[in-house]
Amino acid sequence: MPPPRLVLPTPAGDPGSALRRSYLRLISLSSTPRHLDELLAVSLASGHYALDPAPATALLLRYASLRAPHAHLLLLFRAFPRPDRFLRNALLRSLPSLRPHLLFPCPDSFSFAFAATSLSSSCSSRGSGDAGAATAARALHALVVAAGFAEDTFVASALAKLYSKLSRGDDARRVFDEVPAPDTILWNTLLAGLSGSEALEAFARMVEAGRVQPDSTTLASVLRAAAEVANVAMGRCVHGYGVKCGLAEHEHVVTGLMSLYAKCGDMVCARCLFDRMEDPDLVAYNALIAGYSVNGMVESSTELFKKLAASGWRPNPSTLVAVIPVYSPFGHELLARCLHGFVVKARLDADALVSTALTTLYCRLNDMESARSMFDAMPEKTMESWNAMISGYAQNGLTEMAVALFQQMQALNVQPNPITISSTLSACAQLGALSMGKWVHKIIAKENLELNVYVMTALIDMYAKCGSIAEARSIFDRMDNKNVVSWNAMISGYGLHGQGAEALKLYKAMLDAHILPTSSTFLSVLYACSHGGLVDEGRTVFHVMTNEYKITPGVEHCTCMVDLLGRAGKLKEAFELISEFPKSAVGPGVWGALLGACMVHKDSDLAKLASQKLFELDPENAGYYVLLSNLYTSKKRYSEAAVVRQEAKSRKLVKTPGCTLIEIGDKPHVFMAGDHVHPQAEAIYSYLEKLTAKMIEAGYQPVTEAALYDVEEEEKEHMVKVHSEKLAIAFGLLSTEPGTEIRIIKNLRVCLDCHNATKFISKVTQRLIVVRDASRFHHFRDGVCSCGDYW
């Protein structure tokens, strides 16, 4: 049990150096806090324990190393009426939180360095996003400057490392810049904390200055940075520099070179370096195994893993993380299960890195049950494990689960990082949950999280896909450093909202900013042209992509071009263009776009040809049968429509049921066609009857041509009247104040009648109604839709 408040007696005389050595030896041999308690009690009772800094400091450090409570350390420190600088520094080194009063009086460089190191260790265990640690780091930095130690390289190294642990690179650079003559250790600390391209630039400045000589640690950090950005040219320069300086043979430099070449796809060089090592250690094996895995060479990775086991090395967690086929999971399900079994047998399943790798693997195999089982079994969940599970849900379309897990993370007071935020915002974007996305946005501001380019881009994407294109543009304009993904997200957002002219304007601004467009850029622009009816502009963009930028069009680009021409009624040109596309790019999407255009322009002959291609390429998709059947029905070719429907029925194909989501407050409500399960169903249908009467007075006429042909016209009108989007809009009008904007999300393309009806609803109710369907946004105001009836 802890001792009472200690009041150490002043000894009658000096116990001598021999007695001091005895106490120091006994302190070092103590293996539990209980042993130290007994030793301290005996020394106090006998009066032999002198007020000597050496045994006092050793005792405090030994208590700290044995994880004694921090209160115990403070109690021991306060028992000494005149603690010297060594004892004070020992306490600063042992406490996880900053206590400024302990630094004074008379702090030295060790005082500040130990305080920074202790804070750095504590934030490593709590996560880099800890706001309290960031505040303490800034407070310590201020004390360093005030005490005149800002130019001390030892203190600066500790501070820079602390800021790097907190993912505050700008602050780390600020500390570095305050030192007029940084030494190699300070340079290494800076390089280790910078991102890939920044670290490479800093290394170039270091070599150019020529004031300090890089060491093997320097080269290892730079090689890691080069691997991070896959800059093999820079990596080869560093390799040559290492050979010239005699540093290339250091084991961790060789391992860094192996990792670099592997990351850049040059496994021949990586293997050559490995084979030249006389006695490769476990780290070298792990680097090469990871290289094979990253490059999809799963068999080579597995063979090397077997060689490692046969050579007598015991695989560690890093080995298992390297060999688990996270990057090439498909086709290796059996290997995944075998490795999972090996992990359990080796008792490494409790390791956070291994469990996270297996969680990620199962997520990529779409085995979400196994992934969640791994996640739930982790005794201590790291930030990486939370991110793996949340992003796994989001990437597999389980958006509600992703958001729910993020909410659970918040309830447990686990601090998210930029990756968590980006994954959760992606889920909100897929779900169309604007209120949830705004909640996440508030968390970013509340927790003072880093607004890096990935988080800002995720916010742009979320607001655009949730209907707030103005807010998306506002965030885009506030970004200081936009990458090509940021530009693509904003261009895509404009396309989604039918604002083709704005998308083209932004595309031109992107080129003026000397941002090199990617395949995704052109896809976003073509999509915007398609939904804005900008045929000539779309043709020009497609020509520029293929001829000037030499980008081979993929399935999505070709689908957009057929859709662009088909929507504009240029069916023949669209059909002829298909023959000019690369064969690999002509799939169900291309023919589906042509069939959809045939439906709009009532070309049954070309529709039949397109549908035949679709039935061959994607025979299990019921939607194509429905489109063709509806086209025949609209032209009163009922017998042919019946044949198509019968074919779908014989194949037991089921059309995806339409559903519509609306958020009232923070609660989502989902409606199906003819739905009566909602608690307010009776009121909704009653209100819809009255609303329909007002619409008819305003000139609305139901469009029934897509309804089943073998029922009476009156029944057709009733069928289209109870479509899910009409029920959702009626509920929204009932549940909100006059003038409030209504937002709904439809999982399928909005039908002609619902589109027409929503225009009339916006007019008679004087409401803005925003509808997101399977392909785009529609903004209905005063009887007009933003799409210009072009969707």
Side-chain angles (χ1 to χ4, degrees):
M1 59 181 291
R5 179 169 178 80
L6 302 174
V7 180
L8 299 182
T10 304
D14 185 357
S17 59
L19 187 59
R20 182 187 300 119
R21 285 197 299 271
S22 298
Y23 277 121
L24 289 173
R25 176 172 170 73
L26 289 170
I27 289 169
S28 66
L29 291 173
S30 299
S31 58
T32 67
R34 176 80 176 185
H35 291 162
L36 294 174
D37 291 344
E38 291 173 352
L39 178 60
L40 181 58
V42 169
S43 65
L44 288 171
S46 63
H48 291 157
Y49 191 75
L51 289 177
D52 189 318
T57 303
L59 184 68
L60 190 147
L61 288 174
R62 190 60 180 156
Y63 267 119
S65 69
L66 294 174
R67 301 183 182 277
H70 302 138
H72 197 123
L73 303 181
L74 286 165
L75 189 66
L76 183 64
F77 174 80
R78 291 169 184 152
F80 291 86
R82 291 180 300 279
D84 68 354
R85 187 179 295 170
F86 293 99
L87 184 59
R88 192 180 300 275
N89 288 348
L91 182 64
L92 286 168
R93 183 180 181 181
S94 306
L95 293 177
S97 58
L98 179 64
R99 297 173 187 258
H101 66 279
L102 293 176
L103 287 163
F104 302 97
C106 302
D108 60 8
S109 60
F110 289 96
S111 307
F112 291 110
F114 286 159
T117 301
S118 181
L119 272 176
S120 180
S121 300
S122 66
C123 77
S124 297
S125 60
R126 291 182 291 182
S128 61
D130 185 8
T135 302
R138 288 193 292 270
L140 178 61
H141 190 176
L143 291 171
V144 166
V145 174
F149 286 94
E151 297 182 2
D152 187 286
T153 55
F154 183 49
V155 176
S157 294
L159 268 178
K161 183 177 181 181
L162 170 60
Y163 278 130
S164 296
K165 282 280 183 69
L166 292 165
S167 300
R168 295 185 176 271
D170 290 340
D171 289 326
R173 281 190 292 272
R174 195 173 295 114
V175 170
F176 178 86
D177 292 339
E178 289 171 356
V179 180
D183 60 7
T184 302
I185 295 174
L186 182 54
W187 272 106
N188 290 349
T189 304
L190 179 70
L191 291 170
L194 293 177
S195 64
S197 56
E198 293 173 327
L200 296 180
E201 292 171 7
F203 175 68
R205 292 199 307 271
M206 178 185 182
V207 174
E208 186 178 353
R211 296 175 183 173
V212 295
Q213 184 71 24
D215 59 14
S216 58
T217 303
T218 314
L219 295 194
S221 293
V222 177
L223 288 169
R224 172 199 55 77
E228 184 181 324
V229 294
N231 190 337
V232 69
M234 185 63 175
R236 292 190 194 282
C237 290
V238 175
H239 192 172
Y241 183 88
V243 172
K244 182 179 178 181
C245 297
L247 300 171
E249 299 302 319
H250 282 262
E251 285 189 354
H252 54 300
V253 174
V254 175
T255 304
L257 285 167
M258 288 167 53
S259 296
L260 165 76
Y261 288 128
K263 182 70 179 291
C264 296
D266 190 350
M267 288 307 300
V268 174
C269 280
R271 185 64 196 237
C272 180
L273 287 167
F274 179 83
D275 290 338
R276 284 170 52 191
M277 298 178 77
E278 291 183 10
D279 186 19
D281 61 7
L282 187 58
V283 178
Y285 269 103
N286 291 350
L288 192 60
I289 290 171
Y292 281 131
S293 293
V294 168
N295 286 283
M297 303 168 70
V298 178
E299 289 76 13
S300 298
S301 173
T302 309
E303 286 301 317
L304 191 61
F305 176 73
K306 293 178 182 176
K307 181 180 177 181
L308 166 70
S311 65
W313 286 104
R314 180 181 173 81
N316 65 8
S318 297
T319 318
L320 271 301
V321 171
V323 78
I324 292 171
V326 171
Y327 298 95
S328 302
F330 300 107
H332 299 103
E333 289 85 350
L334 180 59
L335 174 62
R337 300 290 178 186
C338 291
L339 287 171
H340 191 171
F342 181 90
V343 165
V344 173
K345 186 176 180 181
R347 297 183 179 178
L348 291 172
D349 50 323
D351 183 87
L353 289 174
V354 177
S355 295
T356 301
L358 284 170
T359 300
T360 305
L361 174 66
Y362 285 129
C363 285
R364 292 183 178 176
L365 288 170
N366 199 19
D367 184 355
M368 299 309 296
E369 185 177 343
S370 295
R372 187 56 188 260
S373 177
M374 285 297 308
F375 177 79
D376 289 339
M378 293 183 196
E380 291 188 14
K381 297 174 177 62
T382 62
M383 183 57 60
E384 289 74 18
S385 62
W386 283 99
N387 290 345
M389 199 66 239
I390 290 173
S391 63
Y393 277 135
Q395 290 162 11
N396 282 287
L398 300 171
T399 50
E400 295 92 341
M401 298 291 287
V403 172
L405 192 59
F406 179 76
Q407 290 174 318
Q408 180 183 336
M409 185 180 177
Q410 285 289 294
L412 294 172
N413 294 319
V414 179
Q415 186 81 7
N417 68 6
I419 297 174
T420 325
I421 294 295
S422 299
S423 298
T424 307
L425 286 171
S426 174
C428 293
Q430 293 177 49
L431 196 59
L434 180 61
S435 60
M436 185 65 66
K438 286 182 175 179
W439 174 65
V440 176
H441 194 173
K442 286 179 182 177
I443 290 173
I444 296 172
K446 179 183 175 183
E447 303 292 347
N448 195 27
L449 296 175
E450 181 186 2
L451 280 173
N452 62 22
V453 67
Y454 305 106
V455 172
M456 297 287 276
T457 301
L459 280 169
I460 292 169
D461 185 59
M462 183 276 292
Y463 277 114
K465 288 180 178 175
C466 290
S468 294
I469 191 68
E471 183 63 28
R473 182 57 192 258
S474 175
I475 293 170
F476 178 82
D477 289 339
R478 294 201 302 269
M479 290 181 71
D480 294 326
N481 299 307
K482 304 178 182 74
N483 64 12
V484 68
V485 182
S486 312
W487 288 88
N488 291 351
M490 196 64 239
I491 293 170
S492 175
Y494 277 129
L496 194 62
H497 287 263
Q499 299 182 30
E502 287 296 326
L504 282 171
K505 184 179 176 182
L506 196 62
Y507 163 67
K508 290 173 183 174
M510 175 182 172
L511 298 182
D512 291 340
H514 305 292
I515 304 294
L516 186 67
T518 63
S519 175
S520 296
T521 309
F522 287 109
L523 178 60
S524 297
V525 177
L526 289 172
Y527 182 90
C529 291
S530 173
H531 286 275
L534 305 174
V535 178
D536 293 337
E537 293 86 345
R539 284 199 195 99
T540 301
V541 169
F542 190 77
H543 177 81
V544 167
M545 179 187 78
T546 55
N547 295 307
E548 293 187 23
Y549 289 92
K550 306 301 180 185
I551 294 176
T552 303
V555 174
E556 295 87 354
H557 302 95
C558 296
T559 300
C560 272
M561 280 305 296
V562 171
D563 192 52
L564 170 67
L565 296 170
R567 287 173 186 273
K570 301 180 183 297
L571 298 178
K572 184 178 179 182
E573 182 181 349
F575 178 67
E576 291 173 351
L577 187 62
I578 292 175
S579 63
E580 300 177 15
F581 291 149
K583 289 184 179 180
S584 60
V586 180
V590 170
W591 292 107
L594 184 61
L595 178 59
C598 292
M599 175 68 188
V600 173
H601 297 286
K602 304 296 185 290
D603 188 332
S604 54
D605 294 332
L606 191 54
K608 185 175 181 179
L609 191 153
S611 61
Q612 286 174 348
K613 292 286 187 181
L614 286 166
F615 297 158
E616 294 173 10
L617 294 169
D618 192 7
E620 302 303 314
N621 192 321
Y624 304 136
Y625 290 87
V626 173
L627 272 178
L628 185 60
S629 172
N630 287 346
L631 176 56
Y632 285 143
T633 300
S634 67
K635 302 196 77 170
K636 302 188 185 303
R637 293 164 63 174
Y638 299 135
S639 59
E640 291 168 276
V643 170
V644 174
R645 290 182 181 274
Q646 184 57 42
E647 177 66 18
K649 189 176 180 180
S650 66
R651 289 178 175 269
K652 298 181 179 179
L653 301 180
V654 180
K655 178 180 177 289
T656 302
C659 66
T660 302
L661 177 144
I662 183 171
E663 283 188 310
I664 302 297
D666 293 334
K667 185 178 179 183
H669 300 260
V670 179
F671 291 87
M672 307 284 285
D675 200 346
H676 282 84
V677 298
H678 195 277
Q680 294 177 247
E682 187 176 341
I684 293 170
Y685 277 91
S686 175
Y687 181 81
L688 190 56
E689 285 290 338
K690 296 174 184 176
L691 185 61
T692 303
K694 291 181 181 179
M695 291 158 54
I696 291 173
E697 287 178 12
Y700 164 69
Q701 290 183 337
V703 181
T704 61
E705 64 180 30
L708 291 174
Y709 65 88
D710 54 352
V711 296
E712 296 297 327
E713 188 67 25
E714 183 179 339
E715 189 173 347
K716 290 182 183 181
E717 291 184 12
H718 174 72
M719 290 167 64
V720 296
K721 185 191 299 182
V722 295
H723 278 184
S724 62
E725 46 264 68
K726 293 190 181 75
L727 297 176
I729 291 172
F731 175 64
L733 293 168
L734 270 175
S735 307
T736 57
E737 295 294 324
T740 307
E741 179 181 313
I742 302 294
R743 292 173 177 268
I744 65 170
I745 299 169
K746 176 75 184 289
N747 67 326
L748 303 177
R749 181 178 179 271
V750 64
C751 76
L752 183 60
D753 179 69
C754 285
H755 190 271
N756 189 37
T758 308
K759 289 195 294 183
F760 279 95
I761 294 172
S762 70
K763 182 177 181 179
V764 301
T765 63
Q766 291 298 298
R767 298 276 196 115
L768 169 62
I769 303 174
V770 180
V771 178
R772 171 180 155 186
D773 69 4
S775 60
R776 62 170 297 157
F777 272 92
H778 304 260
H779 297 253
F780 298 89
R781 189 195 299 271
D782 296 326
V784 178
C785 180
S786 61
C787 75
D789 298 337
Y790 191 88
W791 84 102

